[in-house]
Amino acid sequence: MKFTIGAITTALLAATIGTSVDAFVVGKQHSGVVSTTRLAATVEKSEVSPPPSTKDADIVKAEYDSNVQCTYGRYPLTIDKGEGCKLWTTDGTEYLDFVSGIATCALGHAHPTLTKAIVDQMNEVHHVSNLYFIPAQANLAKWLCDNSVADKVFFCNSGAEANEAAIKLARRHASNRGLTKPVIITAISSFHGRTLSALSATAQPKYHKGFTYDGEMVQGFEYVPYNDVEALEAKVQEINNSEEGRGVAAIMMEALQGEGGIIPGTKEFFQKARQLTTDCGALLMCDEVQVGVGRSGKLWGYENVDVEPDVFTSAKALGGGVPIGAMMARGDAANTFGPGDHASTYGGNPLACAAGLAVAKTIAEENLLQNVRDRGEQLSQGLEAIATKYPTILGEVRGWGLLKGVVIQESAGCTAGELVGDAMKQGLLLVPAGTSVARFVPPLIVTEQEVSKALDMFEKCVAERAGGGDAKP
Protein backbone atom coordinates (compact mmCIF):
# COMPACT_ATOMS: atom_id res chain seq x y z
CA MET A 1 0.00 0.00 0.00
CA LYS A 2 1.39 3.36 -1.02
CA PHE A 3 0.54 6.96 -0.08
CA THR A 4 2.18 9.56 -2.34
CA ILE A 5 4.11 12.28 -0.51
CA GLY A 6 5.07 14.57 -3.34
CA ALA A 7 7.39 12.57 -5.55
CA ILE A 8 8.39 10.20 -2.75
CA THR A 9 6.32 7.19 -1.81
CA THR A 10 6.03 5.98 1.73
CA ALA A 11 7.41 2.66 0.57
CA LEU A 12 10.58 4.32 -0.70
CA LEU A 13 10.82 6.48 2.43
CA ALA A 14 10.38 3.46 4.66
CA ALA A 15 13.05 1.59 2.78
CA THR A 16 15.41 4.56 3.04
CA ILE A 17 15.26 4.96 6.82
CA GLY A 18 14.46 1.38 7.78
CA THR A 19 11.02 2.10 9.25
CA SER A 20 7.76 0.35 8.51
CA VAL A 21 5.02 2.15 6.63
CA ASP A 22 2.74 1.68 9.64
CA ALA A 23 5.05 3.99 11.62
CA PHE A 24 3.89 7.03 9.67
CA VAL A 25 0.92 9.18 10.61
CA VAL A 26 -0.06 11.11 7.51
CA GLY A 27 -1.94 14.40 7.75
CA LYS A 28 -4.22 16.33 5.40
CA GLN A 29 -3.52 16.20 1.66
CA HIS A 30 -3.83 19.07 -0.80
CA SER A 31 -3.47 18.28 -4.52
CA GLY A 32 -1.84 14.97 -3.69
CA VAL A 33 0.78 16.52 -1.36
CA VAL A 34 0.70 15.98 2.36
CA SER A 35 0.84 19.40 4.09
CA THR A 36 1.20 18.22 7.67
CA THR A 37 2.94 14.99 8.51
CA ARG A 38 3.93 13.54 11.87
CA LEU A 39 6.51 10.80 11.63
CA ALA A 40 6.70 8.43 14.58
CA ALA A 41 9.60 6.15 13.74
CA THR A 42 9.96 2.83 15.51
CA VAL A 43 13.56 1.88 16.16
CA GLU A 44 15.14 -1.00 18.00
CA LYS A 45 17.40 1.18 20.17
CA SER A 46 17.72 4.93 20.48
CA GLU A 47 21.17 6.42 20.01
CA VAL A 48 20.28 9.31 22.35
CA SER A 49 19.28 9.06 26.00
CA PRO A 50 16.14 10.96 27.07
CA PRO A 51 16.58 14.07 29.25
CA PRO A 52 15.81 13.95 32.99
CA SER A 53 12.77 15.76 34.35
CA THR A 54 13.45 16.00 38.07
CA LYS A 55 12.65 19.00 40.24
CA ASP A 56 14.19 17.54 43.38
CA ALA A 57 16.36 20.35 44.77
CA ASP A 58 19.25 18.09 45.80
CA ILE A 59 19.35 16.32 42.44
CA VAL A 60 19.07 19.62 40.57
CA LYS A 61 22.00 21.03 42.53
CA ALA A 62 24.05 17.93 41.84
CA GLU A 63 23.26 18.20 38.13
CA TYR A 64 24.41 21.83 38.21
CA ASP A 65 27.65 20.86 39.92
CA SER A 66 28.30 18.13 37.37
CA ASN A 67 27.01 19.64 34.14
CA VAL A 68 26.65 23.44 34.27
CA GLN A 69 29.65 25.73 33.89
CA CYS A 70 30.20 27.71 37.08
CA THR A 71 29.61 31.25 35.82
CA TYR A 72 27.17 32.33 38.52
CA GLY A 73 27.22 32.47 42.30
CA ARG A 74 23.77 31.10 43.09
CA TYR A 75 21.63 31.45 46.18
CA PRO A 76 20.36 28.10 47.53
CA LEU A 77 16.85 28.32 46.05
CA THR A 78 15.36 25.98 43.46
CA ILE A 79 12.48 27.82 41.80
CA ASP A 80 9.45 25.79 40.82
CA LYS A 81 6.73 28.24 39.77
CA GLY A 82 5.54 31.83 39.95
CA GLU A 83 2.44 33.98 39.80
CA GLY A 84 2.28 37.75 39.77
CA CYS A 85 4.99 39.05 42.12
CA LYS A 86 5.41 35.74 43.92
CA LEU A 87 7.71 32.78 43.41
CA TRP A 88 7.66 29.33 45.02
CA THR A 89 10.55 26.93 45.47
CA THR A 90 10.26 23.19 44.99
CA ASP A 91 9.71 22.72 48.72
CA GLY A 92 6.68 25.04 48.63
CA THR A 93 8.30 28.10 50.24
CA GLU A 94 6.80 31.40 49.01
CA TYR A 95 8.87 34.47 48.16
CA LEU A 96 7.98 38.03 47.26
CA ASP A 97 9.96 38.68 44.10
CA PHE A 98 11.62 42.11 43.96
CA VAL A 99 14.25 40.86 41.51
CA SER A 100 12.03 40.16 38.48
CA GLY A 101 14.75 38.13 36.80
CA ILE A 102 16.95 41.25 37.28
CA ALA A 103 14.51 43.85 35.96
CA THR A 104 13.21 41.52 33.26
CA CYS A 105 9.79 40.11 34.22
CA ALA A 106 7.96 43.41 33.79
CA LEU A 107 4.55 41.73 34.03
CA GLY A 108 5.57 39.38 36.81
CA HIS A 109 5.09 35.64 36.48
CA ALA A 110 2.39 33.73 34.57
CA HIS A 111 0.72 36.95 33.45
CA PRO A 112 -2.40 35.92 31.49
CA THR A 113 -1.88 38.35 28.60
CA LEU A 114 1.73 37.32 28.09
CA THR A 115 0.94 33.63 28.53
CA LYS A 116 -1.89 33.74 25.99
CA ALA A 117 0.24 35.62 23.47
CA ILE A 118 3.03 33.05 23.70
CA VAL A 119 0.69 30.04 23.50
CA ASP A 120 -1.25 31.51 20.57
CA GLN A 121 1.95 32.28 18.68
CA MET A 122 3.36 28.80 19.32
CA ASN A 123 0.18 27.39 17.80
CA GLU A 124 0.78 29.43 14.64
CA VAL A 125 4.53 29.73 13.95
CA HIS A 126 7.26 30.41 16.49
CA HIS A 127 10.34 30.92 14.32
CA VAL A 128 11.18 31.67 10.71
CA SER A 129 14.19 33.30 9.16
CA ASN A 130 14.57 37.05 8.71
CA LEU A 131 14.63 36.21 5.00
CA TYR A 132 10.86 36.67 5.22
CA PHE A 133 8.44 39.31 6.52
CA ILE A 134 7.19 38.67 10.05
CA PRO A 135 3.97 40.51 11.04
CA ALA A 136 4.68 40.52 14.79
CA GLN A 137 8.13 42.00 14.17
CA ALA A 138 6.68 44.74 11.99
CA ASN A 139 4.02 45.54 14.60
CA LEU A 140 6.46 45.66 17.49
CA ALA A 141 8.88 47.82 15.52
CA LYS A 142 6.08 50.27 14.74
CA TRP A 143 5.06 50.45 18.41
CA LEU A 144 8.64 51.13 19.46
CA CYS A 145 9.09 53.86 16.85
CA ASP A 146 5.70 55.43 17.56
CA ASN A 147 6.53 55.63 21.26
CA SER A 148 10.13 56.87 21.09
CA VAL A 149 12.48 59.02 19.04
CA ALA A 150 13.47 55.99 16.93
CA ASP A 151 12.91 55.78 13.20
CA LYS A 152 13.97 52.15 12.75
CA VAL A 153 14.67 49.06 14.87
CA PHE A 154 17.11 46.15 14.68
CA PHE A 155 16.02 43.10 16.68
CA CYS A 156 18.30 40.65 18.47
CA ASN A 157 18.14 38.48 21.59
CA SER A 158 19.69 40.23 24.58
CA GLY A 159 21.06 43.47 25.99
CA ALA A 160 24.64 42.54 25.18
CA GLU A 161 23.67 41.83 21.58
CA ALA A 162 21.77 45.10 21.35
CA ASN A 163 24.83 46.98 22.61
CA GLU A 164 27.11 45.07 20.23
CA ALA A 165 24.82 46.19 17.41
CA ALA A 166 25.06 49.79 18.62
CA ILE A 167 28.86 49.57 18.78
CA LYS A 168 29.03 48.17 15.25
CA LEU A 169 26.66 50.86 14.00
CA ALA A 170 28.77 53.58 15.63
CA ARG A 171 31.91 52.27 13.95
CA ARG A 172 30.22 52.01 10.55
CA HIS A 173 28.79 55.51 10.93
CA ALA A 174 32.25 56.82 11.86
CA SER A 175 33.80 55.04 8.88
CA ASN A 176 31.30 56.77 6.64
CA ARG A 177 32.60 60.05 8.11
CA GLY A 178 36.17 59.10 7.20
CA LEU A 179 37.41 58.00 10.64
CA THR A 180 39.85 55.08 10.66
CA LYS A 181 40.39 55.09 14.43
CA PRO A 182 36.87 55.57 15.83
CA VAL A 183 36.58 55.96 19.60
CA ILE A 184 33.49 55.31 21.72
CA ILE A 185 33.41 57.09 25.09
CA THR A 186 31.74 55.26 27.99
CA ALA A 187 31.58 55.84 31.73
CA ILE A 188 33.59 54.45 34.61
CA SER A 189 31.50 51.87 36.57
CA SER A 190 29.30 51.29 33.53
CA PHE A 191 27.99 47.90 32.48
CA HIS A 192 27.11 47.10 28.86
CA GLY A 193 27.23 43.30 28.66
CA ARG A 194 29.45 40.22 28.70
CA THR A 195 30.37 39.86 25.02
CA LEU A 196 33.89 41.01 24.22
CA SER A 197 33.14 44.43 22.72
CA ALA A 198 30.35 45.18 25.19
CA LEU A 199 32.70 44.13 27.98
CA SER A 200 35.38 46.44 26.57
CA ALA A 201 32.83 49.26 26.70
CA THR A 202 32.22 48.34 30.34
CA ALA A 203 34.69 50.45 32.33
CA GLN A 204 35.15 48.06 35.24
CA PRO A 205 38.61 46.41 35.25
CA LYS A 206 37.40 43.50 37.40
CA TYR A 207 35.38 42.26 34.43
CA HIS A 208 38.35 42.57 32.04
CA LYS A 209 40.72 40.35 33.99
CA GLY A 210 41.72 37.30 31.98
CA PHE A 211 40.07 38.42 28.75
CA THR A 212 42.69 40.80 27.34
CA TYR A 213 45.15 40.42 24.48
CA ASP A 214 48.58 41.57 25.62
CA GLY A 215 46.88 43.46 28.43
CA GLU A 216 44.31 45.20 26.22
CA MET A 217 40.62 44.69 25.61
CA VAL A 218 39.03 45.55 22.25
CA GLN A 219 40.56 48.85 21.17
CA GLY A 220 38.59 52.02 20.56
CA PHE A 221 37.03 52.70 23.97
CA GLU A 222 37.86 55.58 26.33
CA TYR A 223 36.33 56.17 29.75
CA VAL A 224 35.25 59.18 31.83
CA PRO A 225 33.64 59.49 35.27
CA TYR A 226 29.85 59.30 35.06
CA ASN A 227 28.06 62.67 35.33
CA ASP A 228 31.39 64.59 35.08
CA VAL A 229 30.76 67.28 32.48
CA GLU A 230 34.27 68.72 32.49
CA ALA A 231 35.90 65.32 32.10
CA LEU A 232 33.61 64.51 29.18
CA GLU A 233 34.38 67.79 27.42
CA ALA A 234 38.13 67.30 27.91
CA LYS A 235 38.00 63.70 26.62
CA VAL A 236 36.11 64.65 23.46
CA GLN A 237 38.56 67.46 22.75
CA GLU A 238 41.59 65.21 23.38
CA ILE A 239 40.33 62.48 21.04
CA ASN A 240 39.25 64.76 18.22
CA ASN A 241 42.52 66.72 18.28
CA SER A 242 44.92 63.79 18.71
CA GLU A 243 45.83 62.45 15.25
CA GLU A 244 44.55 62.18 11.72
CA GLY A 245 41.80 59.60 11.33
CA ARG A 246 41.09 59.41 15.06
CA GLY A 247 37.88 60.90 16.40
CA VAL A 248 34.84 60.36 18.57
CA ALA A 249 32.45 57.89 16.98
CA ALA A 250 29.95 57.96 19.83
CA ILE A 251 29.29 58.71 23.46
CA MET A 252 27.58 55.65 24.94
CA MET A 253 26.01 55.99 28.39
CA GLU A 254 23.42 54.28 30.55
CA ALA A 255 20.64 56.74 31.35
CA LEU A 256 20.91 55.29 34.85
CA GLN A 257 23.86 53.15 35.89
CA GLY A 258 22.45 49.87 37.15
CA GLU A 259 25.28 47.49 38.00
CA GLY A 260 27.37 50.54 38.89
CA GLY A 261 25.19 51.21 41.95
CA ILE A 262 21.81 52.64 40.79
CA ILE A 263 23.14 56.09 39.86
CA PRO A 264 20.81 58.27 37.75
CA GLY A 265 22.29 60.37 35.00
CA THR A 266 22.07 64.15 35.37
CA LYS A 267 20.41 66.37 32.83
CA GLU A 268 23.50 68.58 32.70
CA PHE A 269 25.75 65.64 31.80
CA PHE A 270 23.50 64.18 29.12
CA GLN A 271 22.68 67.52 27.56
CA LYS A 272 26.40 68.26 27.31
CA ALA A 273 26.92 64.84 25.72
CA ARG A 274 24.16 65.70 23.23
CA GLN A 275 25.82 69.00 22.38
CA LEU A 276 29.30 67.51 22.00
CA THR A 277 28.18 64.70 19.71
CA THR A 278 26.08 67.03 17.58
CA ASP A 279 28.99 69.45 17.18
CA CYS A 280 31.43 66.81 15.94
CA GLY A 281 29.05 64.55 14.01
CA ALA A 282 29.27 61.65 16.47
CA LEU A 283 26.37 59.63 17.86
CA LEU A 284 24.78 59.86 21.30
CA MET A 285 23.86 56.34 22.36
CA CYS A 286 21.86 55.38 25.46
CA ASP A 287 22.00 51.91 26.99
CA GLU A 288 18.40 51.36 28.14
CA VAL A 289 18.69 47.62 28.73
CA GLN A 290 17.79 47.81 32.42
CA VAL A 291 16.02 51.16 32.79
CA GLY A 292 13.96 51.09 29.59
CA VAL A 293 10.42 49.86 28.85
CA GLY A 294 8.78 51.68 31.73
CA ARG A 295 10.96 50.85 34.72
CA SER A 296 11.90 54.49 35.35
CA GLY A 297 8.27 55.66 35.37
CA LYS A 298 8.69 56.87 31.80
CA LEU A 299 8.83 54.50 28.87
CA TRP A 300 12.50 55.34 28.22
CA GLY A 301 15.25 56.42 30.57
CA TYR A 302 16.46 59.19 28.25
CA GLU A 303 13.18 61.00 28.87
CA ASN A 304 14.34 61.61 32.44
CA VAL A 305 17.42 63.54 31.28
CA ASP A 306 15.71 65.54 28.52
CA VAL A 307 17.76 64.41 25.53
CA GLU A 308 17.03 62.64 22.26
CA PRO A 309 19.69 60.02 21.56
CA ASP A 310 20.64 58.91 18.06
CA VAL A 311 20.75 55.28 19.17
CA PHE A 312 19.34 53.47 22.20
CA THR A 313 19.18 49.83 23.19
CA SER A 314 16.62 47.69 24.98
CA ALA A 315 16.17 44.12 26.19
CA LYS A 316 15.19 42.67 29.59
CA ALA A 317 11.62 43.98 30.15
CA LEU A 318 10.91 44.26 26.41
CA GLY A 319 9.86 40.61 26.22
CA GLY A 320 8.69 40.28 29.81
CA GLY A 321 11.13 37.39 30.31
CA VAL A 322 11.12 35.99 26.77
CA PRO A 323 14.56 36.68 25.23
CA ILE A 324 14.53 39.70 22.93
CA GLY A 325 16.73 42.72 22.37
CA ALA A 326 16.44 45.80 20.22
CA MET A 327 18.78 48.47 18.92
CA MET A 328 16.85 51.54 17.85
CA ALA A 329 18.12 54.51 15.85
CA ARG A 330 16.95 57.74 14.31
CA GLY A 331 18.07 60.01 11.48
CA ASP A 332 21.27 59.05 9.66
CA ALA A 333 21.99 56.37 12.24
CA ALA A 334 18.79 54.55 11.32
CA ASN A 335 20.01 54.07 7.76
CA THR A 336 23.67 53.26 8.47
CA PHE A 337 23.32 49.49 8.24
CA GLY A 338 22.54 47.86 4.91
CA PRO A 339 21.78 44.24 3.98
CA GLY A 340 24.56 42.00 5.24
CA ASP A 341 26.05 44.56 7.64
CA HIS A 342 24.47 42.96 10.68
CA ALA A 343 22.12 40.06 11.38
CA SER A 344 20.65 37.73 13.98
CA THR A 345 19.19 34.26 13.44
CA TYR A 346 16.64 34.53 16.24
CA GLY A 347 16.29 38.30 16.37
CA GLY A 348 12.72 39.47 15.93
CA ASN A 349 11.25 35.98 15.56
CA PRO A 350 7.46 35.61 15.84
CA LEU A 351 7.51 34.19 19.38
CA ALA A 352 9.74 36.87 20.89
CA CYS A 353 7.86 39.66 19.15
CA ALA A 354 4.50 38.26 20.27
CA ALA A 355 5.81 38.51 23.82
CA GLY A 356 7.02 42.06 23.19
CA LEU A 357 3.62 43.04 21.83
CA ALA A 358 1.93 41.57 24.91
CA VAL A 359 4.16 43.69 27.14
CA ALA A 360 3.46 46.77 25.01
CA LYS A 361 -0.29 46.11 25.10
CA THR A 362 -0.32 45.74 28.88
CA ILE A 363 1.77 48.88 29.47
CA ALA A 364 -0.62 50.87 27.28
CA GLU A 365 -3.98 49.43 28.35
CA GLU A 366 -3.30 49.14 32.09
CA ASN A 367 -1.47 52.48 32.44
CA LEU A 368 1.50 50.76 34.05
CA LEU A 369 3.69 53.86 33.91
CA GLN A 370 1.49 55.53 36.50
CA ASN A 371 1.70 52.46 38.71
CA VAL A 372 5.50 52.53 38.39
CA ARG A 373 5.59 56.17 39.48
CA ASP A 374 3.19 55.62 42.39
CA ARG A 375 4.81 52.46 43.69
CA GLY A 376 8.25 53.90 43.09
CA GLU A 377 7.45 56.89 45.28
CA GLN A 378 6.04 54.58 47.95
CA LEU A 379 9.20 52.48 47.83
CA SER A 380 11.48 55.53 48.07
CA GLN A 381 9.62 56.97 51.04
CA GLY A 382 9.63 53.63 52.84
CA LEU A 383 13.35 53.01 52.27
CA GLU A 384 14.22 56.54 53.33
CA ALA A 385 12.25 56.07 56.54
CA ILE A 386 14.14 52.84 57.30
CA ALA A 387 17.47 54.50 56.46
CA THR A 388 16.65 57.39 58.81
CA LYS A 389 15.81 54.93 61.59
CA TYR A 390 18.98 52.86 61.06
CA PRO A 391 21.65 55.31 59.83
CA THR A 392 24.62 53.06 60.62
CA ILE A 393 23.19 50.35 58.35
CA LEU A 394 21.62 52.23 55.45
CA GLY A 395 22.58 55.36 53.56
CA GLU A 396 21.30 57.13 50.45
CA VAL A 397 18.23 55.91 48.59
CA ARG A 398 18.44 56.58 44.85
CA GLY A 399 17.01 55.63 41.49
CA TRP A 400 13.95 56.18 39.33
CA GLY A 401 10.54 54.52 39.38
CA LEU A 402 10.85 50.85 40.25
CA LEU A 403 14.62 50.76 39.81
CA LYS A 404 15.74 51.71 43.31
CA GLY A 405 18.85 51.14 45.36
CA VAL A 406 19.81 51.81 48.96
CA VAL A 407 23.42 52.19 50.02
CA ILE A 408 24.74 49.81 52.68
CA GLN A 409 27.00 51.76 55.01
CA GLU A 410 30.55 50.62 55.76
CA SER A 411 29.55 50.60 59.44
CA ALA A 412 26.82 48.04 58.72
CA GLY A 413 29.29 45.18 59.05
CA CYS A 414 27.87 43.44 55.98
CA THR A 415 27.88 43.68 52.21
CA ALA A 416 24.84 44.24 50.04
CA GLY A 417 24.96 40.57 49.10
CA GLU A 418 24.82 39.52 52.73
CA LEU A 419 21.87 41.81 53.44
CA VAL A 420 20.14 40.39 50.37
CA GLY A 421 20.71 36.95 51.92
CA ASP A 422 19.07 38.17 55.13
CA ALA A 423 16.06 39.38 53.16
CA MET A 424 15.76 36.00 51.49
CA LYS A 425 15.37 34.37 54.89
CA GLN A 426 12.43 36.73 55.51
CA GLY A 427 10.83 35.69 52.20
CA LEU A 428 11.91 38.71 50.15
CA LEU A 429 14.04 38.41 47.01
CA LEU A 430 16.38 41.34 46.27
CA VAL A 431 19.56 41.66 44.20
CA PRO A 432 22.81 43.56 44.88
CA ALA A 433 24.05 46.33 42.59
CA GLY A 434 27.75 46.09 43.35
CA THR A 435 29.02 45.34 46.85
CA SER A 436 27.37 48.23 48.65
CA VAL A 437 23.90 48.75 47.17
CA ALA A 438 20.79 46.62 47.64
CA ARG A 439 18.58 46.82 44.55
CA PHE A 440 14.77 46.74 44.42
CA VAL A 441 13.37 45.91 40.97
CA PRO A 442 9.89 44.39 41.38
CA PRO A 443 7.56 43.68 38.46
CA LEU A 444 5.89 46.79 37.09
CA ILE A 445 2.52 45.37 38.18
CA VAL A 446 3.49 45.35 41.88
CA THR A 447 0.72 46.51 44.22
CA GLU A 448 0.69 48.95 47.13
CA GLN A 449 0.19 46.05 49.55
CA GLU A 450 3.16 44.15 48.10
CA VAL A 451 5.46 47.15 48.39
CA SER A 452 4.38 47.62 52.03
CA LYS A 453 5.05 43.96 52.74
CA ALA A 454 8.50 44.16 51.12
CA LEU A 455 9.39 47.21 53.22
CA ASP A 456 8.31 45.43 56.42
CA MET A 457 10.44 42.40 55.55
CA PHE A 458 13.45 44.54 54.69
CA GLU A 459 13.18 46.55 57.90
CA LYS A 460 13.27 43.35 59.94
CA CYS A 461 16.57 42.43 58.26
CA VAL A 462 18.03 45.87 58.91
CA ALA A 463 16.87 45.82 62.53
CA GLU A 464 18.52 42.46 63.10
CA ARG A 465 21.77 43.77 61.64
CA ALA A 466 21.52 46.81 63.90
CA GLY A 467 21.13 44.52 66.91
CA GLY A 468 18.35 46.65 68.31
CA GLY A 469 20.69 49.36 69.51
CA ASP A 470 20.90 51.57 66.44
CA ALA A 471 17.27 52.45 65.83
CA LYS A 472 16.28 56.11 66.02
CA PRO A 473 12.72 57.08 66.87
Side-chain angles (χ1 to χ4, degrees):
M1 187 175 184
K2 298 181 181 179
F3 296 92
T4 299
I5 307 177
I8 305 174
T9 64
T10 54
L12 176 59
L13 189 57
T16 302
I17 65 173
T19 306
S20 68
V21 176
D22 293 336
F24 292 94
V25 179
V26 182
K28 296 183 293 183
Q29 295 191 30
H30 300 280
S31 304
V33 178
V34 175
S35 62
T36 57
T37 306
R38 178 168 58 86
L39 304 180
T42 57
V43 294
E44 293 182 3
K45 183 178 180 181
S46 174
E47 297 180 16
V48 181
S49 64
S53 59
T54 183
K55 288 187 178 182
D56 180 273
D58 292 334
I59 296 176
V60 168
K61 184 181 183 305
E63 289 176 346
Y64 263 89
D65 292 341
S66 298
N67 303 300
V68 179
Q69 293 188 25
C70 187
T71 58
Y72 289 88
R74 290 181 169 85
Y75 291 103
L77 300 184
T78 303
I79 303 300
D80 180 38
K81 61 183 179 179
E83 183 178 354
C85 296
K86 297 177 181 178
L87 287 170
W88 287 267
T89 53
T90 50
D91 64 3
T93 304
E94 179 182 304
Y95 292 88
L96 183 57
D97 183 14
F98 270 50
V99 177
S100 307
I102 310 184
T104 298
C105 299
L107 305 185
H109 306 285
H111 191 281
T113 300
L114 181 59
T115 299
K116 183 178 186 304
I118 292 170
V119 171
D120 288 350
Q121 192 62 57
M122 283 296 296
N123 285 326
E124 293 178 359
V125 58
H126 70 286
H127 178 77
V128 295
S129 170
N130 275 302
L131 292 171
Y132 315 111
F133 293 106
I134 300 169
Q137 183 180 137
N139 292 334
L140 183 57
K142 179 169 173 50
W143 182 80
L144 289 168
C145 291
D146 286 350
N147 290 278
S148 73
V149 299
D151 291 323
K152 293 183 179 179
V153 184
F154 171 83
F155 287 106
C156 50
N157 310 288
S158 68
E161 287 185 44
N163 286 333
E164 285 279 343
I167 290 166
K168 279 187 68 175
L169 186 147
R171 286 198 170 189
R172 184 57 181 266
H173 186 269
S175 177
N176 293 345
R177 292 166 45 216
L179 295 180
T180 56
K181 297 180 179 179
V183 178
I184 297 174
I185 299 172
T186 66
I188 294 170
S189 297
S190 60
F191 188 85
H192 298 291
R194 300 281 185 171
T195 54
L196 200 55
S197 291
L199 196 62
S200 300
T202 296
Q204 295 197 54
K206 66 181 180 181
Y207 293 126
H208 297 173
K209 186 177 180 181
F211 300 109
T212 63
Y213 179 84
D214 196 24
E216 292 187 1
M217 296 293 286
V218 175
Q219 295 182 354
F221 295 94
E222 298 275 349
Y223 314 126
V224 298
Y226 193 58
N227 286 334
D228 190 328
V229 172
E230 292 183 0
L232 182 61
E233 285 185 293
K235 181 62 71 175
V236 169
Q237 184 176 5
E238 180 269 315
I239 293 169
N240 284 336
N241 295 332
S242 57
E243 60 181 286
E244 185 176 354
R246 186 169 187 258
V248 175
I251 296 175
M252 181 178 183
M253 298 285 167
E254 298 162 274
L256 176 150
Q257 284 195 335
E259 303 302 318
I262 316 300
I263 303 172
T266 65
K267 291 182 180 180
E268 180 186 17
F269 182 70
F270 274 83
Q271 288 168 9
K272 176 56 69 174
R274 176 70 281 174
Q275 177 201 325
L276 291 168
T277 50
T278 299
D279 289 347
C280 70
L283 301 177
L284 177 61
M285 307 199 302
C286 285
D287 179 342
E288 298 258 352
V289 170
Q290 186 163 176
V291 74
V293 195
R295 185 153 290 279
S296 72
K298 298 181 182 292
L299 192 59
W300 305 110
Y302 66 74
E303 297 178 79
N304 295 278
V305 291
D306 291 344
V307 297
E308 293 188 351
D310 301 297
V311 177
F312 62 104
T313 57
S314 179
K316 288 190 179 286
L318 183 58
V322 175
I324 187 172
M327 184 272 291
M328 291 154 279
R330 69 185 182 101
D332 290 342
N335 297 305
T336 297
F337 280 158
D341 285 338
H342 201 47
S344 171
T345 295
Y346 294 107
N349 71 41
L351 183 65
C353 288
L357 287 167
V359 172
K361 174 184 173 71
T362 305
I363 288 174
E365 293 184 355
E366 298 186 12
N367 196 21
L368 284 192
L369 296 183
Q370 187 60 54
N371 188 63
V372 172
R373 291 190 289 269
D374 291 344
R375 301 287 70 77
E377 181 61 25
Q378 178 191 0
L379 184 57
S380 287
Q381 290 179 1
L383 289 173
E384 287 167 356
I386 299 171
T388 299
K389 191 173 180 180
Y390 300 97
T392 65
I393 307 297
L394 302 181
E396 180 185 11
V397 176
R398 57 201 186 204
W400 295 330
L402 288 175
L403 178 49
K404 290 288 166 57
V406 58
V407 173
I408 312 305
Q409 304 281 41
E410 290 185 9
S411 55
C414 65
T415 65
E418 289 168 334
L419 193 58
V420 166
D422 294 346
M424 188 179 300
K425 295 175 184 177
Q426 294 287 341
L428 173 65
L429 300 183
L430 303 175
V431 60
T435 59
S436 62
V437 175
R439 179 174 15 177
F440 293 71
V441 280
L444 308 189
I445 61 168
V446 69
T447 66
E448 181 178 359
Q449 293 74 22
E450 287 167 332
V451 172
S452 294
K453 184 177 181 180
L455 289 167
D456 288 343
M457 290 175 169
F458 186 64
E459 183 168 1
K460 289 180 182 178
C461 302
V462 175
E464 287 181 4
R465 283 286 174 179
D470 180 61
K472 290 188 176 182

